[in-house]
Amino acid sequence: MQEQKASKAPQWLKKIRWWNLFFLAAFGGVLLVALAVVLYTYRDLPLAKHRESSTGFPVNGAGIRLADVQGEWKSSKGNARMELRTAYYPQATLTLAPGGGSGVFLVRFLNNKHEQTGEIFNIPYRDGQFVRKDDVNIKAEGLNATVQMEGGYSDHDSYMLHCLNEQEFLWRVCVWQQPEGTRDTIYLGYRTIPALPIQKL
């Protein structure tokens, strides 16, 4: 009798082990799915290796469509005006989709602490196109406008540190719209400015 009980005990333990393995595997699968969902949800946060993010373009404003916003860092070498102010400065390019509408775009740059840096740039548009402008900070005509901020990083080492520090937020270019005939402003979105090493000249 005792021998029968002894022989049944290992069978019972084996069943428990199989159930444990089954539930352990199922639990592991659920954890993997949850991790994948979290990573997918936060894939655009500018925190780790890939810091670039955007609210998504194109975007529809009031009576106009902003097709794209791009940002980049530029070296001031060779630009006498910029050389007096900074070593590396941010530049943004706005592109409109063909259409209509009149008003003003407001462009702001945010630094790596999400604080506004520099002035607010006003870029007027009329009948779906930028009003021609050719000054030191804004070049605009047709469907394209380029904005340069007189500031940024004062030396090569500071800029390179920003490029290499993956825990640091990227700078952003943010765009608002103020349609003609109103004082209301509409937030259209932002895009981070990629931090790519620029060869020291």
Side-chain angles (χ1 to χ4, degrees), residues 74-80 82-83 86-87 89 201:
K74 306 284 283 184
S75 171
S76 64
K77 199 70 175 175
N79 184 329
M82 283 296 189
E83 282 183 354
T86 189
Y89 61 91
L201 300 175

Side-chain angles (χ1 to χ4, degrees), residues 17-70:
R17 277 195 291 252
W18 281 111
W19 277 109
N20 284 344
L21 285 173
F22 172 76
F23 284 118
L24 188 62
F27 181 70
V30 170
L31 281 180
L32 282 175
V33 170
L35 180 62
V37 169
V38 169
L39 290 175
Y40 180 80
T41 303
Y42 292 99
R43 69 194 185 282
D44 287 333
L45 286 182
L47 293 175
K49 186 175 180 180
H50 303 288
R51 296 181 284 167
E52 297 178 25
S53 65
S54 160
T55 49
F57 293 96
V59 63
N60 291 320
I64 200 162
R65 185 175 175 85
L66 182 59
D68 197 17
V69 173
Q70 292 291 332

